[in-house]
Amino acid sequence: MAYLVHRLGPSRVFVPGVSVLRLLCSASMEDMGLTMSRSPLERLDFDNVALRKLPLDPSEEPGVRQVKGACFSRVKPQPLTNPRFVTVSHEALALLGLSGDEVVNDPLGPEYLSGSKVMPGSEPAAHCYCGHQFGQFAGQLGDGAACYLGEVKVPPGQDPELLRENPSGRWEIQVKGAGLTPYSRQADGRKVLRSSIREFLCSEAMFFLGVPTTRAGSVVTSDSRVIRDVYYSGHPRHERCSVVLRIAPTFLRFGSFEIFKRADEFTGRQGPSYGRDEIRGQMMDYVIEMFYPEIQQNYADRVERNVAFFREVMLRTARLVAQWQCVGFCHGVLNTDNMSILGLTLDYGPYGFMDRFDPDFICNASDNSGRYSYQAQPAICRWNLVKLAEALAPELPPDRAEAVMEEYLDLYNGFYLENMRKKLGLLKKEEPEDEILITELLQTMHNTGADFTNTFRSLSQISCSTEGQSEAEEEFVKKATDLLLEQCASLEELKAANKPTMDPRELAMLLSMAQSNPALFQMISDRMTIARQLDRLSRLKDLMETNQEELKTKQGEEWSHWITRYRKRLARELEGQSDVQAVQEERVRVMDSTNPRVVLRNYIAQNAIEAAESGDFSEVQRVLKVLEKPFSSQPGLELPAWVGGCGATEQGERDEGEEQQLETASTSAASARDPVPYDSKPPPWAHEICVT
């Protein structure tokens, strides 16, 4: 009888004369009703392998602390006041077997997906890792704002392609912005609406561009507030606490293995688990068994297995950065703690898609040295791989790691050329001169200030030279030149772009110091930075001595020269082809499915953020729709939602928690600006956007 009372719950008492069968039937019907009314998030099937296979911090004391001998610490997410959805990604939530519509309409959805309420089976924890930040070892870092909720089993019927990418059969889910952890350092563990929207949109944008990435399932905002000094200007303001749901096979990173690092020779810092080599072995076993099972099966020898693992991480990283370069994406903070062990784009802080092509493009206003500039990314990823190799020793012998790293540059170049040939429509032949053609294209784009995304998108409109067209060649070249001139920068834009970022007096002082005291010069600056400043000065001087008409003529000459070479190369694609028309059509199809029409430019994200901050979430949702089909024209979605007064009208698109004055105010500051299509070059005001 004790069993029956326990089975029926503590509030149920056995009553003599009432049959056991009736009690059981009643309980069964009640349980069924509860099951039917449960939140879809309560039905997620958690299997939190990482917390079982990797050491867990036994301490649950609150506050920031050094965590020794552990990979995870249990945490308690801090509830938000009045959490509510800003948006969800239906495609990302489907990875967990969830319907986006069900989640949006679930009263408990915002609570569960902000960490305000813990789902059944979830085990909130924060991950301990270290990292090299801007080239210096920073010691313990860890999940200062992110919170592991657990691992959800892949639902039945998931796309086999996804299972190949995620052989563990589980999706790790995190909430970012859910409050303090032992790794929060001097921060509060919270994220705000603008940073959450930027991470959400870019995670999904990268996926639909075909770039390996972590995913984002939702953004939740609230009435809870934190103070932020957005531009570090001494003018802080209150902002709404907001949370992003992040999804990936794992969020383990290069820095996860740096918790074992001995004292750094430059900073003196060491990893919190220095000397605990057995944990390093556990972590390697876990990562390889879970996420690289073929390597685990194919190598009986432990050292050979570990070398194969490192080679695969190196290959994925080389492929990833090649893809970044080909879509003009700049990560902004390529520290070792932001490098995925699976070769995914990880942690969307200061990032940017390049507008005007500039190899020295820096998307992070805090990166004064340009360490993480666009053109530096391939070399920085290599540097980070070297640091990973150091962290894996002696499990990975240094001489074997060095041999693997010798393959990096060739692999990267191979991936880059493969992507670039598709972007240029060079599909039938691979010729040695292709590298020169690509280099000259980028140089012409740089010289003319051409828009990166739109220039590549325009190339499919340039026709191939065919027999019998020689007389009209000049006309074809002129037409193509006019097309690309539309994407070039004006004289004023180029002057602004080439203005040195360093004060002339500081530059003069450093130039003098480089001659008189080289040792001191190396401590406070570097020759690369000075060279960039001098190059800007030289370009600016030339621009000051010309006018707009002369500039356009020069730009036209440069483009005509390159287009002539390009058309000749395209003509060779047709040699020996029986169906020239089919070849031409295939070329256009491949180019238009490789060169995006739309990327997440800063001004697009800013419009969505400003609308959301004024209580209108429709623009975030609209931008997501556009980014889900970046290679296609989408009639009806060419312009922002506020153009023509077509703001949010549907239920759930407006934030009911905003103050009354915001409810009745204009949709956003953006609505006062001239409308700019999503596939446009950036408007003038976009250059004022500062991301740090």
Side-chain angles (χ1 to χ4, degrees), residues 190-217:
R190 291 300 193 189
K191 294 297 175 183
V192 295
L193 192 54
R194 56 189 162 80
S195 61
S196 300
I197 287 172
R198 280 178 58 85
E199 170 142 12
F200 173 86
L201 288 176
C202 201
S203 299
E204 294 305 279
M206 292 292 270
F207 172 77
F208 290 104
L209 285 171
V211 180
T213 180
T214 59
R215 301 294 300 276

Side-chain angles (χ1 to χ4, degrees), residues 21-75:
L21 181 60
R22 278 180 60 195
L23 279 172
L24 286 174
C25 289
S26 173
S28 177
M29 293 296 289
E30 187 173 308
D31 287 348
M32 185 180 296
L34 287 171
T35 301
M36 294 295 289
S37 63
R38 282 169 64 191
S39 161
L41 294 161
E42 293 173 359
R43 298 196 294 267
L44 290 178
D45 189 3
F46 280 93
D47 185 14
N48 307 323
V49 180
L51 299 190
R52 296 201 302 271
K53 294 210 169 190
L54 298 176
L56 189 59
D57 178 16
S59 171
E60 293 190 35
E61 66 175 280
V64 174
R65 62 183 186 275
Q66 283 285 109
V67 175
K68 300 180 180 181
C71 299
F72 289 92
S73 301
R74 293 197 186 279
V75 296

Side-chain angles (χ1 to χ4, degrees), residues 554-604:
K554 186 178 179 183
Q555 290 173 334
E557 289 171 353
E558 290 199 50
W559 276 117
S560 295
H561 174 75
W562 184 82
I563 289 165
T564 300
R565 288 198 59 170
Y566 179 49
R567 278 171 54 83
K568 287 179 180 177
R569 173 63 182 86
L570 288 177
R572 292 200 291 278
E573 289 283 295
L574 304 178
E575 291 174 358
Q577 299 294 325
S578 58
D579 191 341
V580 170
Q581 182 67 24
V583 173
Q584 299 259 39
E585 289 174 359
E586 183 193 5
R587 169 182 158 257
V588 171
R589 180 187 60 77
V590 170
M591 292 178 74
D592 285 348
S593 62
T594 306
N595 294 313
R597 186 184 68 87
V598 174
V599 294
L600 183 61
R601 298 177 190 259
N602 274 337
Y603 80 85
I604 296 175

Side-chain angles (χ1 to χ4, degrees), residues 453-454 457 592 595-599 601 626 629-634 637-638 678-680:
T453 299
N454 289 357
R457 182 71 179 185
D592 285 348
N595 294 313
R597 186 184 68 87
V598 174
V599 294
R601 298 177 190 259
V626 172
K629 296 181 180 179
F631 302 101
S632 307
S633 176
Q634 299 180 65
L637 292 175
E638 297 90 351
Y678 296 120
D679 62 354
S680 171

Side-chain angles (χ1 to χ4, degrees), residues 43-49 52 93-98 150-158 163 166 168-173:
R43 298 196 294 267
L44 290 178
D45 189 3
F46 280 93
D47 185 14
N48 307 323
V49 180
R52 296 201 302 271
L93 291 176
L95 297 174
L96 310 177
L98 293 169
E151 297 155 67
V152 176
K153 286 184 180 179
V154 168
Q158 191 127 102
L163 295 179
N166 181 15
S168 73
R170 296 166 185 81
W171 292 104
E172 179 182 329
I173 59 174

Side-chain angles (χ1 to χ4, degrees), residues 379-450:
I380 287 295
C381 285
R382 186 189 187 284
W383 191 91
N384 288 340
L385 282 161
V386 170
K387 293 303 168 188
L388 173 62
E390 291 173 4
L392 296 178
E395 290 275 355
L396 176 69
D399 60 325
R400 300 296 301 278
E402 188 176 344
V404 169
M405 287 310 304
E406 288 177 2
E407 303 172 30
Y408 175 84
L409 190 57
D410 285 342
L411 275 171
Y412 165 75
N413 283 334
F415 289 131
Y416 180 77
L417 278 172
E418 180 184 1
N419 287 338
M420 276 293 182
R421 283 192 172 103
K422 288 180 183 176
K423 289 174 77 69
L424 269 66
L426 308 178
L427 312 177
K428 300 298 181 183
K429 298 180 178 181
E430 294 183 7
E431 297 192 355
E433 76 165 52
D434 291 349
E435 286 188 58
I436 299 171
L437 187 69
I438 293 164
T439 301
E440 288 187 352
L441 168 62
L442 296 176
Q443 186 62 57
T444 304
M445 290 170 66
H446 187 210
N447 293 346
T448 62

Side-chain angles (χ1 to χ4, degrees), residues 293-483:
E294 290 185 2
I295 290 175
Q296 180 71 20
Q297 293 162 11
N298 293 340
Y299 293 91
D301 181 84
R302 186 176 182 86
V303 170
E304 295 304 321
R305 181 201 71 165
N306 294 347
V307 170
F309 159 66
F310 181 65
R311 178 178 285 109
E312 181 63 21
V313 175
M314 182 272 295
L315 181 147
R316 293 187 185 197
T317 302
R319 182 168 54 215
L320 176 67
V321 70
Q323 289 175 279
W324 288 348
Q325 300 300 94
C326 289
V327 294
F329 175 78
C330 206
H331 186 284
V333 194
L334 274 180
N335 300 328
T336 56
D337 54 290
N338 291 335
M339 297 285 293
S340 163
I341 206 71
L342 300 183
L344 307 174
T345 313
L346 176 70
D347 281 0
Y348 292 92
Y351 65 79
F353 283 89
M354 202 162 33
D355 295 316
R356 174 184 52 82
F357 177 69
D358 179 5
D360 292 325
F361 172 65
I362 300 167
C363 66
N364 179 1
S366 304
D367 184 7
N368 298 318
S369 69
R371 176 179 176 84
Y372 298 141
S373 69
Y374 168 79
Q375 70 173 346
Q377 290 187 132
I380 287 295
C381 285
R382 186 189 187 284
W383 191 91
N384 288 340
L385 282 161
V386 170
K387 293 303 168 188
L388 173 62
E390 291 173 4
L392 296 178
E395 290 275 355
L396 176 69
D399 60 325
R400 300 296 301 278
E402 188 176 344
V404 169
M405 287 310 304
E406 288 177 2
E407 303 172 30
Y408 175 84
L409 190 57
D410 285 342
L411 275 171
Y412 165 75
N413 283 334
F415 289 131
Y416 180 77
L417 278 172
E418 180 184 1
N419 287 338
M420 276 293 182
R421 283 192 172 103
K422 288 180 183 176
K423 289 174 77 69
L424 269 66
L426 308 178
L427 312 177
K428 300 298 181 183
K429 298 180 178 181
E430 294 183 7
E431 297 192 355
E433 76 165 52
D434 291 349
E435 286 188 58
I436 299 171
L437 187 69
I438 293 164
T439 301
E440 288 187 352
L441 168 62
L442 296 176
Q443 186 62 57
T444 304
M445 290 170 66
H446 187 210
N447 293 346
T448 62
D451 186 84
F452 183 87
T453 299
N454 289 357
T455 297
F456 275 106
R457 182 71 179 185
S458 299
L459 294 182
S460 66
Q461 298 178 53
I462 298 177
S463 59
C464 295
S465 294
T466 57
E467 290 183 20
Q469 282 188 350
S470 54
E471 293 181 4
E473 180 64 20
E474 189 174 328
E475 183 182 337
F476 280 109
V477 171
K478 184 182 185 307
K479 185 178 178 182
T481 300
D482 290 342
L483 177 71

